[in-house]
Amino acid sequence: MTAPFYLSVAIPAPLNRSFDYLPESGCDMSQYQTGLRVNVPFGPRTLVGVIVDIRSQPQSEGHKLKPIQNRIDHKPLLSKDIYQLALWLNQYYHQPIGECLHTVLPVLLRKGQAATPSCEAVYRLASSLTTESLDALKRAPRQLALVEHLQQHGETWHKDLTAAGFTSAIINGLKDKGLITEHQKPSFDAINGQAIQTHLTLNDEQQSAVTAISNQHSFQPYLLDGVTGSGKTEVYLQSIAPHIKAGRQVLILVPEIGLTPQMIQRFAQRFDADILLLHSALNDRERLDAWIMAASHTKSDRAQIIIGTRSAVFTPAPNLAMVIIDEEHDASFKQQDGIRYHGRDVAVMRAKLLDIPIVLGSATPSLDSLQNALGNKYQHLLLRERAGNATDAKLHIFNMKKRAVNHGLADELLTEIQSTLDKQQQVLVFINRRGFAPTLYCPDCGWIAECKRCDAKMTLHQKPPHLHCHHCDNKSALPRQCPECLSNQIHPMGVGTERLESHLSAQFNHVPVIRIDRDSTSKKDSMEALLEPVHKGEPCILIGTQMLAKGHHFPKVTLVIMVNIDSGFFSADFRAMEKTAQLVLQVSGRAGREKDQGRAYLQTEFADHPLLHLLTEENYHALSLALLDERKQQHLPPYGFQALVRADSPNPKEAEQFLYRVRELFNWHQKNNQLSGISFLGPLPSPMELRAGRFRSQLWINSPNRKLLHHFIKLVINGVYEIKGFNKVRWSLDVDPTDNL
Ligand code: ADP
Ligand code: ZN
Ligand code: ZN
């Protein structure tokens, strides 16, 4: 008789532990491995779990254990590095191991489906095809046509034959005669790159970056710190070239794929390799197919270049040679629900596990990465000049005090717009608010349109007319009178994209005025259609939100006006200034990407702000050093370490009461374990306390070092799960939060 053994299974449940099961009857230990998916009974349900341990003793005695239901896979689906990454998520973010393992898997695999690609039929000519058999087709001209089609095109998909007019009857007729054969082939399509462009000649700074990166074969993070247009993408392309040539894989993380078509095109035109795009528009099936294509162990089926957004960091790649994160400072790399991981940090961890280099590129590096570079954890590679013959946009502070202002725009800047258009150039007006105006206001009684479910104002929209809460999506009809005093004087307060659009359309009615925001681009491909005049190069005015700040290449834009960025200077979020500076540079970087020198105007009421002057008179680096200095003095990240417990409930005060209990637990552990250094702040109401009908509260944990923070969370976290009596409260833990919302 063999010794008994027990399987510890991680299950996606809000409990930070694994559960023990017995093996199936008649199965021995050799049939199980960690990383294997299994179906297990859990209460009344069957859940998909992953074996995380095989042990000779159960974790706790005295429970009657059930056997697992069945094994889903025969060998572990997760590669070693991805499995280890999931364990790291568990350790670092202190989230249940079962949820971590689910997070790294595509949805269909979480649901227990097999990792087999979806296939469709393709047809080939049979090898037995002879001239005699063709002669026999003389009286079947459509069948003959199909044979000729295949002779000309080679292997062809069923759907393409149908599209070419061949019916199933024709196809089946030939199949029955044994003249063509049918095969099943994975139907998911990668982009087939073709090396039709040659490398550009690098400038000295680009060259030394490429030399450093491509000579590195073990773990080393690089911060590629280069102003917009300095040729970072060219550095990526040339650094990966030797790896692609050697048949290896690279993973490239980008903030938003929809906004990077030009970048993808450059990869596709540079390499004779398959490129996989992993973006939010893929459905679950396509995502799994892409996952399989990346994971393939056969070289011919495998995609070599994987480009994706945040969650693509978990894409398996058995022959990964390098990771690149473009726009590494971008907020979208941080997951804001479930396991709140930071894609950048996970990517660095993955590179470390695989012992390969990783490149973090940005024109405006995050202070965290900059600090790592200053501390020599990352190697700092600088590109100070714009590549080619483009010159930097000149950034001007435009003092709004005592100016004539209409619809949010200083009248004097209208002259600038006019002269830019006269030169046949284009203008970009940036405003961070969609809609017509941030709210509706009654001057007679002071009423303001507010959302009933949020501590927020309703945005006024004119296209079509309605009020809309951007926080909970609540919509209502536009009132004709003030609901409080019945005054007819209610009017819009503040400025949004629609209002600027109508103002500028009236001022410049001879050129296209194009508005780009979430409302104008909600339909697929509408952005590209709207941008057509811009790409054609004719004089026009672009008005838009953040959507315009990323990725786009607008060679003819030479004037950028930023309408309202002041809120960034006086926010309760200590990262606000960093984020605002990144945004300002990203937006102003849209100007003068080619030979025409660009100008950017920053409208502000706070023209004397010293940090703003640092940005315009010196540069982002000078500003970031000043900001780092502030952070250091205040023991804030990256010099201090934080975790944030958020809670919300439909009942007022309930989330706060829950957090008081959490805080008591924290205090108790801190005292018991003599953890000096750790401090707490809260419970505090969240900056928007009521949101979508829930009252929100937060509790901060601060620590002078990372190790202590993690040690503390590990001590307390299970206790938080065990707090009883708060059924309506939802809570979450955010390690290294990136905002205070
Ligand atoms: P970034 O990614 O830093 O914004 P890109 O790589 O997109 O910069 O380069 C900006 C522009 O400069 C592109 O049009 C690119 O083709 C061009 N470029 C980049 N490197 C060179 C080079 N070494 N010589 C000439 N043009 C270059
Ligand atoms: Zn009123
Ligand atoms: Zn709301």
Side-chain angles (χ1 to χ4, degrees):
M1 224 196 91
T2 51
F5 63 97
Y6 304 89
L7 303 164
S8 297
V9 178
I11 288 164
L15 291 164
N16 196 10
R17 47 169 293 211
S18 58
F19 297 83
D20 286 347
Y21 287 87
L22 299 171
E24 297 143 282
S25 71
C27 286
D28 64 46
M29 208 190 281
S30 69
Q31 284 159 296
Y32 297 98
Q33 285 178 61
T34 56
L36 212 60
R37 287 184 305 161
V38 289
N39 282 311
V40 293
F42 192 76
R45 296 179 294 164
T46 298
L47 295 180
V48 177
V50 177
I51 299 177
V52 289
D53 201 4
I54 301 171
R55 39 174 74 236
S56 55
Q57 296 289 327
Q59 294 178 70
S60 56
E61 298 288 342
H63 291 288
K64 189 165 159 23
L65 297 181
K66 292 182 189 163
I68 66 161
Q69 230 160 54
N70 64 294
R71 282 163 296 157
I72 300 170
D73 312 307
H74 292 284
K75 53 182 202 318
L77 263 191
L78 287 171
S79 59
K80 199 168 143 222
D81 64 314
I82 305 285
Y83 182 72
Q84 284 177 343
L85 216 49
L87 300 187
W88 179 79
L89 289 179
N90 170 244
Q91 290 295 314
Y92 192 85
Y93 294 103
H94 303 274
Q95 307 291 331
I97 177 66
E99 296 198 356
C100 294
L101 282 159
H102 264 211
T103 296
V104 305
L105 284 171
V107 170
L108 293 183
L109 296 183
R110 294 177 202 171
K111 292 184 176 163
Q113 288 202 15
T116 43
S118 48
C119 289
E120 278 174 34
V122 288
Y123 295 90
R124 297 178 200 147
L125 291 174
S127 48
S128 57
L129 197 71
T130 58
T131 15
E132 292 86 70
S133 47
L134 282 183
D135 282 345
L137 285 181
K138 284 220 175 86
R139 254 166 296 152
R142 289 304 290 154
Q143 291 189 355
L144 186 60
L146 174 49
V147 168
E148 283 164 356
H149 186 92
L150 290 180
Q151 278 172 332
Q152 202 183 343
H153 295 92
E155 178 182 278
T156 307
W157 292 105
H158 184 272
K159 59 174 186 284
D160 294 336
L161 290 182
T162 313
F166 299 106
T167 61
S168 294
I170 304 169
I171 298 171
N172 290 334
L174 276 175
K175 215 171 78 181
D176 292 343
K177 289 179 185 162
L179 298 180
I180 62 172
T181 56
E182 181 186 301
H183 306 263
Q184 292 293 317
K185 212 177 125 176
S187 54
F188 187 79
D189 236 353
I191 296 175
N192 306 118
Q194 279 182 327
I196 51 175
Q197 269 183 2
T198 50
H199 288 321
L200 298 175
T201 310
L202 298 175
N203 63 34
D204 290 348
E205 285 181 326
Q206 285 177 315
Q207 185 60 58
S208 48
V210 170
T211 307
I213 298 165
S214 48
N215 283 330
Q216 179 68 38
H217 297 285
S218 50
F219 174 63
Q220 172 65 51
Y222 293 94
L223 178 60
L224 182 63
D225 180 353
V227 296
T228 313
S230 60
K232 294 183 291 297
T233 310
E234 190 62 33
V235 170
Y236 304 151
L237 289 163
Q238 299 202 25
S239 304
I240 68 170
H243 297 303
I244 300 301
K245 207 166 164 201
R248 301 197 63 191
Q249 293 173 290
V250 293
L251 171 65
I252 300 155
L253 299 180
V254 295
E256 240 173 293
I257 292 227
L259 302 179
T260 42
Q262 286 150 337
M263 178 181 176
I264 291 157
Q265 198 185 13
R266 283 168 76 183
F267 279 85
Q269 294 180 341
R270 197 65 71 85
F271 299 109
D272 199 0
D274 280 356
I275 303 176
L276 266 189
L277 296 186
L278 291 156
H279 51 85
S280 55
L282 294 185
N283 63 33
D284 290 347
R285 184 64 244 180
E286 292 166 328
R287 204 165 270 278
L288 176 56
D289 283 334
W291 190 93
I292 293 167
M293 197 177 266
S296 171
H297 283 269
T298 20
K299 195 168 163 255
S300 58
D301 304 342
R302 185 163 62 213
Q304 277 186 272
I305 300 176
I306 302 157
I307 305 181
T309 45
R310 181 181 60 229
S311 65
V313 70
F314 301 117
T315 313
N319 202 359
L320 194 61
M322 199 202 297
V323 183
I324 292 168
I325 306 180
D326 191 34
E327 310 285 0
E328 68 87 30
H329 65 279
D330 197 277
S332 71
F333 287 121
K334 173 80 160 118
Q335 167 92 7
Q336 297 294 15
D337 55 27
I339 312 238
R340 293 161 187 259
Y341 64 88
H342 202 302
R344 177 192 64 217
D345 299 343
V346 177
V348 171
M349 198 56 203
R350 184 163 181 198
K352 193 170 177 181
L353 287 168
L354 288 171
D355 199 23
I356 57 173
I358 175 167
V359 180
L360 284 63
S362 176
T364 51
S366 62
L367 294 188
D368 309 80
S369 296
L370 200 60
Q371 158 68 4
N372 278 324
L374 296 174
N376 288 326
K377 275 190 171 169
Y378 295 177
Q379 197 175 322
H380 204 166
L381 303 171
L382 278 163
L383 306 180
R384 275 169 284 225
E385 302 289 325
R386 283 198 167 189
N389 45 14
T391 43
D392 253 350
K394 180 92 187 93
L395 191 58
H396 303 272
I397 297 176
F398 191 88
N399 190 343
M400 294 292 275
K401 290 226 172 88
K402 301 194 189 121
R403 305 274 185 163
V405 177
N406 274 299
H407 305 280
L409 196 67
D411 285 352
E412 280 163 71
L413 291 177
L414 294 176
T415 331
E416 291 285 327
I417 296 177
Q418 184 63 60
S419 70
T420 307
L421 296 172
D422 288 345
K423 280 185 263 174
Q424 304 298 306
Q425 295 166 348
Q426 299 171 343
V427 179
L428 188 157
V429 183
F430 171 83
I431 174 159
N432 223 351
R433 276 181 182 280
R434 65 194 168 101
F436 189 82
T439 194
L440 198 58
Y441 165 73
C442 170
D444 290 337
C445 74
W447 172 84
I448 282 175
E450 281 174 337
C451 177
K452 291 188 179 60
R453 306 179 63 226
C454 305
D455 292 328
K457 300 180 186 83
M458 299 284 277
T459 301
L460 169 65
H461 286 254
Q462 292 288 20
K463 294 181 175 178
H466 68 288
L467 292 173
H468 186 180
C469 172
H470 291 175
H471 303 283
C472 71
D473 222 20
N474 184 13
K475 287 178 190 157
S476 60
L478 216 53
R480 287 171 189 282
Q481 296 172 313
C482 171
E484 295 288 327
C485 73
L486 305 184
S487 158
N488 290 321
Q489 298 300 312
I490 51 172
H491 60 71
M493 188 160 87
V495 187
T497 46
E498 289 178 8
R499 188 169 187 176
L500 269 177
E501 180 189 19
S502 67
H503 175 47
L504 290 173
S505 304
Q507 297 288 326
F508 303 97
N509 52 21
H510 55 290
V511 298
V513 174
I514 302 156
R515 172 170 59 94
I516 301 282
D517 57 26
R518 195 130 47 97
D519 302 308
S520 72
T521 58
S522 58
K523 289 200 197 78
K524 194 171 180 284
D525 301 330
S526 49
M527 164 109 83
E528 283 314 300
L530 281 171
L531 287 177
E532 210 187 297
V534 189
H535 291 317
K536 269 205 224 140
E538 54 190 80
C540 62
I541 302 175
L542 263 168
I543 298 167
T545 57
Q546 300 243 26
M547 294 184 95
L548 278 183
K550 291 182 194 174
H552 299 283
H553 185 56
F554 302 131
K556 281 282 193 180
V557 169
T558 55
L559 173 65
V560 169
I561 299 171
M562 282 168 267
V563 167
N564 183 4
I565 49 137
D566 283 350
S567 58
F569 304 147
F570 297 94
S571 163
D573 180 0
F574 67 84
R575 285 191 175 82
M577 190 69 205
E578 175 188 356
K579 290 175 190 168
T580 303
Q582 289 165 345
L583 185 64
V584 165
L585 288 187
Q586 202 153 31
V587 175
S588 63
R590 300 305 109 197
R593 301 258 303 170
E594 275 175 12
K595 55 186 180 304
D596 305 309
Q597 160 107 51
R599 286 157 302 149
Y601 289 96
L602 222 111
Q603 288 195 166
T604 177
E605 299 278 346
F606 305 99
D608 299 330
H609 200 298
L611 292 176
L612 207 51
H613 281 271
L614 218 45
L615 187 64
T616 53
E617 279 148 36
E618 297 197 38
N619 52 25
Y620 179 78
H621 272 221
L623 175 68
S624 29
L625 292 180
L627 291 175
L628 276 174
D629 210 40
E630 272 183 23
R631 301 266 186 98
K632 193 171 190 169
Q633 284 173 26
Q634 295 167 20
H635 309 288
L636 287 168
Y639 300 95
F641 300 86
Q642 299 182 317
L644 175 57
V645 186
R646 295 183 177 87
D648 62 60
S649 158
N651 304 321
K653 299 283 163 212
E654 197 182 31
E656 188 184 316
Q657 280 158 13
F658 170 79
L659 289 182
Y660 271 113
R661 290 280 291 282
V662 176
R663 167 119 198 203
E664 275 167 33
L665 181 83
F666 285 2
N667 286 341
W668 186 87
H669 277 282
Q670 188 189 29
K671 222 162 135 197
N672 252 24
N673 296 285
Q674 297 174 355
L675 296 175
S676 60
I678 293 267
S679 65
F680 311 117
L681 181 65
L684 305 166
S686 302
M688 189 187 297
E689 186 175 8
L690 178 63
R691 181 171 179 169
R694 298 185 73 95
F695 294 86
R696 305 148 72 232
S697 199
Q698 46 183 237
L699 173 61
W700 292 81
I701 312 172
N702 295 301
S703 167
N705 71 64
R706 205 188 287 283
K707 233 181 167 158
L708 181 62
L709 179 71
H710 285 277
H711 175 64
F712 178 74
I713 297 174
K714 214 176 162 120
L715 278 177
V716 299
I717 191 73
N718 281 335
V720 182
Y721 281 101
E722 279 155 22
I723 295 176
K724 297 268 178 320
F726 292 89
N727 291 342
K728 293 240 165 84
V729 172
R730 292 187 312 209
W731 67 275
S732 65
L733 172 71
D734 191 349
V735 174
D736 305 334
T738 51
D739 61 48
N740 64 347
L741 300 176

